[in-house]
Amino acid sequence: MEQPGVFSTFGDRATEARYNETARTLRTPFVRLYAVLFMSVMLAYSVVNPLYLHPVENARLAFWLGVALMTTGIYIGATFWRDYVRHPMVDFAALLAISLIVARINFVLFDHLLHIHDDLHAVGVVNRLAITAFAAVTLAGRPRLFLAWLGCDLIGWLGQVLPGQAADAALAYALLSYLSGALVMAAINLAVGRTSRAAFMLADSLDAERARNEELVLNMLPPTAVERIRTGQMVADSYADASVIFIDMVGFSKLAKRVSPGHLVELLNSFFNHADACAREHGVEKVKTVGDAYLAIAGGNVPSGNSADAAIAFARAVLCGVDELRRVAGVDEVGLRAGIHSGPVVGGVIGATRMAYDYWGDTVNIAARLEGTAAANGIAISESTWLRATDRSSFGPPNMIALKGVGETCVFQTAVVDATGEGKAAA
């Protein structure tokens, strides 16, 4: 995002709208404070005037002071309008009205000073420069609108001054005084606008970077784990009914000896991206990748209803991508196989660097062993997963298989999962 020019805006209309709403929201409390201060000044004049003014002059002044107080009160009320920050013309109109009212108040005070022939060489009226300063800050970030306000204010001021002005010198000095103050306030308006835009750009870029970092963290850790880590809590969870899925690439070691490293990375990337998409579709949580193996879990941090059904549906969807993997690899020997086991697991985050949410327990180990017993492009599930599943039609009869570190285990297998996701029962 580039810093816009002096009189230009952000190129993106949405960014410009966000900037204006943010800046005006931050300035709103100060707008109210300034308006309250102005009302206090008007009240002070209301208290002092009866001490020095003739009743007729005091009545005229009291009327215009009342109008000023009422206008400012309405202005303060408008700042509480829900859509106030989207309409800078509210400030434009209110400040212009206040400025013109103050000009009328000053005429009454000038007439009083002339009648008493006061020789005091000091300002004896309400300082209109304060109103201009108010407008310069309130309309910061919109220099064209502020210059338009100055132009309207000047026309209104001249409209009140010229009819009763006989001396050219007095008018010349009055114009010099007005224009010098207006130029200074225009410079302040530009300065405040430029600095506020620069601050908005910095804050916006920090927010974007924070969002990217947040997205990266949430890709590695579950949201609930992130919140606990931020509060200094230990992340350790127990899940009584989860289904762990291991999916491995068949013939990967042989293929690694035949293809280039870049080709191999492209193949793995295609496999893992496909598995990630299937995990999102079936409500399965990706845990990690280990070499050419993909580890996922149903019923962990991501709710999935029947964890066994979700795990089997996920495994079938991943195995449907074998044809695409073969196309990427350029050989027909590439295949996938999956192992699923259901049971209790323990999950959590360990370590202080390169943190990741991992799962442990016999359920994870048995799923890894089952994956090795599956046929190429087939699925092997344990008895606990088979009993938990509602659709068992694609699985063959049970086989007792000795798993390393586990012992004799009852295993149900599918022979092949075709492109439709259906598995043929193993004989």
Side-chain angles (χ1 to χ4, degrees), residues 34-380:
Y34 204 108
V36 169
L37 292 175
F38 175 76
M39 293 179 75
S40 300
V41 172
M42 295 298 97
L43 287 172
Y45 272 87
S46 299
V47 172
V48 172
N49 290 336
L51 301 176
Y52 303 104
L53 294 181
H54 186 276
V56 175
E57 291 178 327
N58 183 53
R60 291 173 55 201
L61 195 59
F63 170 78
W64 288 111
L65 288 173
V67 173
L69 287 169
M70 182 181 67
T71 304
T72 309
I74 294 173
Y75 182 27
I76 293 175
T79 64
F80 289 95
W81 177 34
R82 183 179 59 184
D83 294 329
Y84 161 73
V85 295
R86 298 191 184 95
H87 296 84
M89 290 306 296
V90 172
D91 301 303
F92 184 95
L95 291 169
L96 185 60
I98 291 172
S99 177
L100 297 177
I101 292 168
V102 167
R104 296 306 307 170
I105 293 172
N106 283 343
F107 278 127
V108 177
L109 293 175
F110 270 126
D111 286 342
H112 171 67
L113 293 176
L114 290 173
H115 290 161
I116 64 175
H117 305 290
D118 189 10
D119 294 328
L120 179 63
H121 298 289
V123 176
V125 293
V126 179
N127 193 339
R128 296 183 72 254
L129 197 60
I131 308 299
T132 310
F134 190 4
V137 175
T138 303
L139 299 176
R142 292 178 174 267
R144 291 188 178 90
L145 189 61
F146 176 67
L147 292 177
W149 183 91
L150 280 177
C152 292
D153 183 56
L154 176 60
I155 292 171
W157 180 73
L158 288 174
Q160 298 185 66
V161 170
L162 289 177
Q165 185 58 249
D168 293 339
L171 179 61
Y173 282 120
L175 278 173
L176 285 174
S177 176
Y178 181 93
L179 293 176
S180 61
L183 288 174
V184 170
M185 293 307 152
I188 291 175
N189 176 267
L190 290 175
V192 174
R194 290 282 288 180
T195 53
S196 65
R197 283 184 182 274
F200 174 80
M201 289 172 58
L202 178 60
D204 205 47
S205 61
L206 289 175
D207 287 342
E209 186 64 29
R210 188 181 298 111
R212 284 193 293 268
N213 292 338
E214 185 79 6
E215 184 178 358
L216 288 173
V217 170
L218 293 177
N219 278 334
M220 297 184 292
L221 298 171
T224 54
V226 173
E227 293 301 322
R228 282 181 283 173
I229 291 171
R230 284 173 176 166
T231 58
Q233 301 178 48
M234 182 177 68
V235 181
D237 304 298
S238 178
Y239 303 93
D241 182 23
S243 295
V244 178
I245 312 104
F246 261 98
I247 303 179
D248 189 29
M249 189 176 293
V250 181
F252 179 79
S253 298
K254 293 181 180 179
L255 187 64
K257 298 175 182 179
R258 298 169 54 187
V259 302
S260 66
H263 192 176
L264 201 62
V265 169
E266 182 183 2
L267 176 63
L268 286 174
N269 192 53
S270 178
F271 167 33
F272 293 150
N273 285 340
H274 172 60
D276 287 344
C278 293
R280 288 191 296 270
E281 179 183 354
H282 294 280
V284 170
E285 176 187 356
K286 174 186 178 180
V287 180
K288 61 183 175 181
T289 59
V290 183
D292 63 326
Y294 190 98
L295 171 60
I297 185 170
N301 281 294
V302 179
S304 59
N306 187 319
S307 66
D309 285 344
I312 293 170
F314 163 70
R316 286 172 175 165
V318 174
L319 267 59
C320 284
V322 168
D323 289 341
E324 176 63 17
L325 291 180
R326 288 173 176 169
R327 186 193 66 78
V328 173
V331 294
D332 293 332
E333 291 83 0
V334 176
L336 298 174
R337 60 189 178 193
I340 305 172
H341 178 54
S342 302
V345 295
V346 174
V349 178
I350 58 175
T353 58
R354 302 188 68 176
M355 294 182 294
Y357 195 98
D358 207 348
Y359 291 90
W360 306 275
D362 289 340
T363 302
V364 178
N365 297 332
I366 294 173
R369 301 299 183 206
L370 286 170
E371 175 268 316
T373 68
N377 303 322
I379 304 171

Side-chain angles (χ1 to χ4, degrees), residues 381-383 386 395-401 409-413 426-427:
I381 65 174
S382 65
E383 185 178 25
W386 188 84
F395 293 94
N399 294 313
M400 297 303 296
I401 300 177
T409 304
C410 182
V411 181
F412 296 80
Q413 297 170 314

